[in-house]
Amino acid sequence: IYKKEEENRDKFNSTPNNYGKGFLGALLGCAIGFILWVIIGAFGLISSWIALLIPFIGSFFYDVLGGKRTTTKIIMVSILSFIAAISGTFVVYLIAVAAEVVNENLDMSTLSAFSYLLQNSSEFVSNFVTDMVISAIFSIIGIVVSSIFMKKQVGTLYVKKRK
């Protein structure tokens, strides 16, 4: 048993880090989660369960693209996942504001209307802040849970299943 563990450790240590490939994989996975978030949000839903999934998707693609399973993976996936969830919520609000600008035939840009609402509508600010906080909380929960799984994988090799 110890010989097998030592062989696995040696094999892991001899593999290249591939942090660049891993980063691209994590970025791709988090981008997929971001797109899902925005699509569902465009229908008027802020679906927090997607924030739970984003780090798992990011972790999966990190491995698939060949990133080495180290604590660097956990840090990369966590940061990108948080950014994806928060920016997803922001983009959903921008889409909603853009739709209202078009519906009301307003002569202003989406960003100008968004800024106006932040400055003049306490209800809008309350909803926006609440959704951002909820997104952050669920993103952090997803990051913590996925980090537990990723921590168990540190030092192991990702093996692609063969057909």
Side-chain angles (χ1 to χ4, degrees), residues 1-10:
I1 294 175
Y2 295 114
K3 185 172 175 89
K4 184 72 170 169
E5 287 178 10
E6 187 175 323
E7 287 174 9
N8 288 340
R9 192 174 336 110
D10 290 343

Side-chain angles (χ1 to χ4, degrees), residues 56-114:
F56 287 98
I57 300 169
S59 174
F60 174 75
F61 280 98
Y62 180 98
D63 289 341
V64 168
L65 265 63
K68 195 169 188 178
R69 290 176 164 179
T70 64
T71 53
T72 302
K73 171 190 176 181
I74 298 170
I75 294 166
M76 281 185 200
V77 170
S78 298
I79 291 169
L80 290 172
S81 297
F82 189 79
I83 292 169
I86 296 302
S87 60
T89 303
F90 182 72
V91 169
V92 166
Y93 267 81
L94 286 179
I95 291 170
V97 168
E100 283 302 308
V101 166
V102 170
N103 289 341
E104 298 296 325
N105 200 22
L106 299 175
D107 188 27
M108 61 188 342
S109 70
T110 299
L111 289 177
S112 295
F114 185 81

Side-chain angles (χ1 to χ4, degrees), residues 39-55:
I39 289 170
I40 290 173
F43 292 105
L45 302 169
I46 299 291
S47 188
S48 299
W49 65 269
I50 294 176
L52 299 172
L53 290 178
I54 292 173

Side-chain angles (χ1 to χ4, degrees), residues 55 59 73-74 77-78 146-154:
S59 174
K73 171 190 176 181
I74 298 170
V77 170
S78 298
S146 69
S147 293
I148 292 167
F149 285 100
M150 287 187 277
K151 183 69 177 155
K152 291 178 183 177
Q153 297 173 338
V154 167

Side-chain angles (χ1 to χ4, degrees), residues 9-25:
R9 192 174 336 110
D10 290 343
K11 190 173 180 182
F12 176 81
N13 289 335
S14 67
T15 59
N17 288 334
N18 288 332
Y19 292 131
K21 289 180 180 179
F23 176 81
L24 290 176

